[in-house]
Amino acid sequence: MAANYDYEEAPGTYDDVNRQDLGYDPNFVPDSVKSFVVHLYRHIREKNVYEIHQMYEISFQTLSNRLFKDTPWPSVDAVAHYVDNDQVFCLLYREMWFRHLYARLSPTLKQRIDSWDNYCSLFQVVLHRVVNMQLPNQWLWDMVDEFVYQFQSFCQYRAKMKNKTEQEIALLRQFDQAWNVYGVLNYLQAFVEKSNIIQILEQEKDGGEQFTATDGYDYSGGSNVLKVLGYFSMVGLLRVHCLLGDYQTGLKCLLPIDISQQGVYTSVIGSHIATIYHYGFANLMMRRYVEAIREFNKILLYIYKIKQFHEKSPQYEQILKKNEQMYALLAICLSLCPQAKLVEETVNSQLREKYGEKMSRMQRYDDEAFAIYDELFSYACPKFITPSAPSFEEPLVNYNQDAYRLQLKLFLYEVKQQQLLSGVRTFLKVYSTISLGKLANYMEVDEPTLRSILFTYKHKTHAVDSDGKIISNADLDFYIDDDMIHVVESKPVKRYGDYFLRQIVKFEGMITDMDRIKLE
């Protein structure tokens, strides 16, 4: 197995030394790295997906932790002759090289631009040449994920103009097309179109394709690279449009993937979580609270069950962070649209433990509640970006927070409107029928104003779904007949399955604890 290759220790100068003191030599290749690239190259040529996955997921991380904690890997020029100067492998190696750099160090502007150029070269090869490879889904997802992340990182970096040096400004002017938003969107869209993934998924529904059943792999000797990159690019497009604040377009890009079913996106945990996080957030911003609650509930229950198996994964911290952010988003959804019946007991108990007190205060609809909405949204929202090029005229100003402030303002405006309707729901929960006059008297308004409030309530508790149909988010509804308001409240469905699941998890924990006890 790839994970068991005997990678030798590198010289001690590589370990626990600051990069500046180290005198990093990009041309020095330790023997363990030679062995790594030679074996990885061979497995890619042989289409040995299992071994590629082991080397990519385990060996690369092991070597990074042992030899390159705070330095880059050897340059591609230094390893190229070990892999016959293979162009595609060198592009893949550089993609990993830059990913490691972003994760462990702080990239310079020139390195950010070089990474863009490498992605352009790699993607051009995949799109316009015959790539006869099978790569693990994890690697292909990481490519799309990192591509979008580096775009987001570049936009944030570029927007901090205040302390830029003259050299950095000159580079930004010279390479003004690097990480251009249209270039990023065009590559992702090109993968979707060139791979014919939308048609493949349609044919699969009619029994004509076996894409999901094989997790996207091609067992007939072909390549999975273009098809799976096309598939994950739909998730990438959703993420980019969420960063831009265009939620409707983002959800439209994801339509070919049926997220109510298992799919290739669920075969990689990072993809699964990123898909539902952005899908749920987009629905929240479009007032489709029920859909957001339903999907957040499912993914949070899934993470609760499987996170223990990913403790040693390099993605574990990201899993926990997204888990906490989605609990915050779920708290927002349930405060704006009380639909506790949609939430499993396990998720609900975790939610109450984390945000129970804050959710109680959010129901009061005062300034304190408003501040909590602000706090939770700021913690859980994506890092919004302004994709436009900066103004290079003096004085230089930072604008990296502008997009976030705009989205926060729009969200809080919606919350403020919901706060005005809080009294209506309180009274409707109490009565099954009540006259307009009586309710107007209770609310201390005249009847025309009350009718306006009731129309607003109807509007705010309904949204338009992806099919253009009007859907209700309310746990209670009403209609008016001859100046009488008739309230219709939905009855919660009792769920028993979750109780048994919790007991099973509890028993499994007890059995694990008992197995650890050594009997004398």
Side-chain angles (χ1 to χ4, degrees):
M1 287 173 56
N4 296 329
Y5 290 138
D6 185 19
Y7 297 117
E8 297 176 11
E9 290 283 354
T13 51
Y14 267 85
D15 283 332
D16 304 316
V17 182
N18 188 279
R19 183 168 59 143
Q20 284 74 19
D21 300 332
L22 180 67
Y24 164 70
D25 181 4
N27 297 314
F28 175 69
V29 184
D31 290 341
S32 48
V33 174
K34 292 178 192 174
S35 176
F36 173 80
V37 296
V38 168
H39 281 99
L40 182 59
Y41 177 54
R42 191 184 80 210
H43 292 317
I44 288 175
R45 285 175 64 86
E46 294 172 352
K47 296 185 181 177
N48 190 334
V49 177
Y50 175 77
E51 291 291 355
I52 297 169
H53 184 265
Q54 292 292 102
M55 296 196 73
Y56 174 78
E57 271 286 274
I58 300 172
S59 304
F60 184 71
Q61 294 299 328
T62 303
L63 286 171
S64 295
N65 291 332
R66 190 192 301 168
L67 307 180
F68 308 110
K69 269 188 176 177
D70 40 30
T71 64
W73 272 60
S75 70
V76 68
D77 294 332
V79 303
H81 62 281
Y82 297 118
V83 294
D84 304 326
N85 291 297
D86 185 280
Q87 183 199 7
V88 177
F89 183 88
C90 288
L91 290 170
L92 291 170
Y93 177 85
R94 282 198 91 201
E95 194 270 333
M96 294 167 68
W97 190 95
F98 281 115
R99 182 135 35 94
H100 170 79
L101 182 78
Y102 270 79
R104 303 294 179 106
L105 305 165
S106 182
T108 65
L109 175 55
K110 185 67 173 69
Q111 286 168 333
R112 292 172 188 270
I113 294 167
D114 289 344
S115 182
W116 164 255
D117 289 339
N118 188 68
Y119 272 118
C120 290
S121 301
L122 177 59
F123 290 170
Q124 289 287 347
V125 168
V126 175
L127 286 166
H128 302 296
R129 280 171 45 185
V130 178
V131 179
N132 193 22
M133 291 188 301
Q134 290 255 43
L135 293 180
N137 285 349
Q138 179 70 59
W139 193 346
L140 295 170
W141 160 251
D142 287 344
M143 259 186 229
V144 173
D145 184 50
E146 184 71 12
F147 180 63
V148 175
Y149 165 72
Q150 290 189 21
F151 164 63
Q152 172 190 317
S153 175
F154 182 84
C155 290
Q156 294 283 354
Y157 167 86
R158 184 179 57 185
K160 297 175 184 176
M161 290 295 294
K162 213 167 187 179
N163 298 317
K164 290 278 186 288
T165 64
E166 288 184 12
Q167 184 184 7
E168 287 174 317
I169 291 171
L171 277 173
L172 285 172
R173 284 180 185 272
Q174 182 182 351
F175 298 99
D176 59 339
Q177 292 304 304
W179 295 109
N180 178 282
V181 63
Y182 296 114
V184 171
L185 290 170
N186 285 343
Y187 273 121
L188 295 172
Q189 189 61 39
F191 278 131
V192 174
E193 292 175 5
K194 192 74 185 282
S195 65
N196 291 319
I197 190 62
I198 296 176
Q199 292 85 342
I200 289 170
L201 293 175
E202 283 295 324
Q203 289 167 14
E204 188 175 46
K205 291 176 185 175
D206 302 327
E209 281 278 351
Q210 288 292 309
F211 181 77
T212 304
T214 62
D215 279 339
Y217 294 109
D218 191 325
Y219 294 114
S220 60
S223 171
N224 71 326
V225 174
L226 182 57
K227 283 192 291 187
V228 177
L229 280 176
Y231 182 92
F232 285 137
S233 289
M234 291 189 283
V235 180
L237 285 166
L238 165 66
R239 183 175 164 190
V240 171
H241 286 298
C242 280
L243 294 175
L244 298 172
D246 186 356
Y247 308 108
Q248 188 164 1
T249 304
L251 291 173
K252 196 174 177 182
C253 291
L254 197 70
L255 273 179
I257 300 176
D258 183 1
I259 65 162
S260 67
Q261 304 290 329
Q262 294 285 306
V264 175
Y265 78 97
T266 61
S267 67
V268 178
I269 188 166
S271 158
H272 192 180
I273 291 172
T275 302
I276 302 303
Y277 167 78
H278 290 96
Y279 178 83
F281 185 82
N283 276 295
L284 162 61
M285 294 300 281
M286 293 188 71
R287 297 209 325 271
R288 300 173 186 170
Y289 303 118
V290 169
E291 184 64 16
I293 291 167
R294 189 177 289 119
E295 292 306 322
F296 283 142
N297 170 66
K298 285 197 294 189
I299 191 68
L300 289 169
L301 189 62
Y302 174 73
I303 295 172
Y304 175 79
K305 292 174 184 174
I306 58 90
K307 65 182 177 183
Q308 60 186 333
F309 304 115
H310 292 268
E311 287 181 0
K312 294 182 180 178
S313 166
Q315 302 158 357
Y316 186 62
E317 286 186 14
Q318 188 65 17
I319 292 170
L320 294 184
K321 181 183 176 184
K322 279 285 173 272
N323 184 62
E324 293 302 314
Q325 286 181 315
M326 287 190 285
Y327 269 113
L329 293 175
L330 182 59
I332 290 172
C333 289
L334 288 171
S335 298
L336 292 173
C337 172
Q339 287 277 19
K341 66 186 180 196
L342 297 175
V343 181
E344 300 282 351
E345 195 175 332
T346 303
V347 175
N348 194 45
S349 63
Q350 293 276 312
L351 180 66
R352 297 296 163 187
E353 190 179 311
K354 295 173 189 292
Y355 294 111
E357 184 186 341
K358 287 185 176 179
M359 288 177 71
S360 298
R361 284 186 276 164
M362 286 160 83
Q363 293 300 318
R364 293 207 298 261
Y365 294 103
D366 52 20
D367 288 342
E368 186 185 8
F370 200 62
I372 296 172
Y373 277 110
D374 185 332
E375 175 196 334
L376 294 187
F377 181 86
S378 299
Y379 167 69
C381 69
K383 292 183 178 178
F384 300 108
I385 56 173
T386 303
S388 56
S391 168
F392 295 106
E393 296 179 6
E394 298 285 352
L396 297 174
V397 294
N398 293 343
Y399 63 97
N400 56 304
Q401 292 291 310
D402 288 3
Y404 154 72
R405 291 195 190 101
L406 175 60
Q407 295 300 318
L408 177 64
K409 181 181 176 182
L410 292 171
F411 170 73
L412 293 179
Y413 179 70
E414 180 64 34
V415 170
K416 205 77 172 174
Q417 289 181 316
Q418 297 272 5
Q419 286 181 330
L420 298 173
L421 304 172
S422 59
V424 179
R425 187 176 180 280
T426 303
F427 285 112
L428 294 180
K429 288 286 285 184
V430 176
Y431 291 92
S432 57
T433 56
I434 184 173
S435 68
L436 278 170
K438 191 173 182 182
L439 182 57
N441 188 42
Y442 283 152
M443 295 187 66
E444 299 177 353
V445 294
D446 55 32
E447 284 195 30
T449 303
L450 177 61
R451 284 182 182 274
S452 177
I453 291 172
L454 291 173
F455 274 124
T456 306
Y457 180 86
K458 277 278 191 184
H459 169 65
K460 289 297 179 184
T461 56
H462 287 73
V464 181
D465 68 8
S466 56
D467 297 323
K469 297 176 183 175
I470 296 176
I471 53 172
S472 173
N473 289 315
D475 59 340
L476 57 85
D477 206 350
F478 66 88
Y479 62 92
I480 301 174
D481 184 22
D482 288 337
D483 291 339
M484 286 295 291
I485 303 170
H486 299 266
V487 180
V488 182
E489 187 169 4
S490 58
K491 300 290 182 184
V493 179
K494 288 189 176 181
R495 298 169 182 266
Y496 300 103
D498 196 48
Y499 171 80
F500 290 106
L501 282 173
R502 283 188 296 111
Q503 300 309 313
I504 289 167
V505 170
K506 197 178 289 184
F507 275 119
E508 283 177 346
M510 290 169 61
I511 291 167
T512 303
D513 292 340
M514 289 168 66
D515 286 342
R516 288 181 184 145
I517 299 171
K518 293 182 180 179
L519 297 174
E520 295 181 1

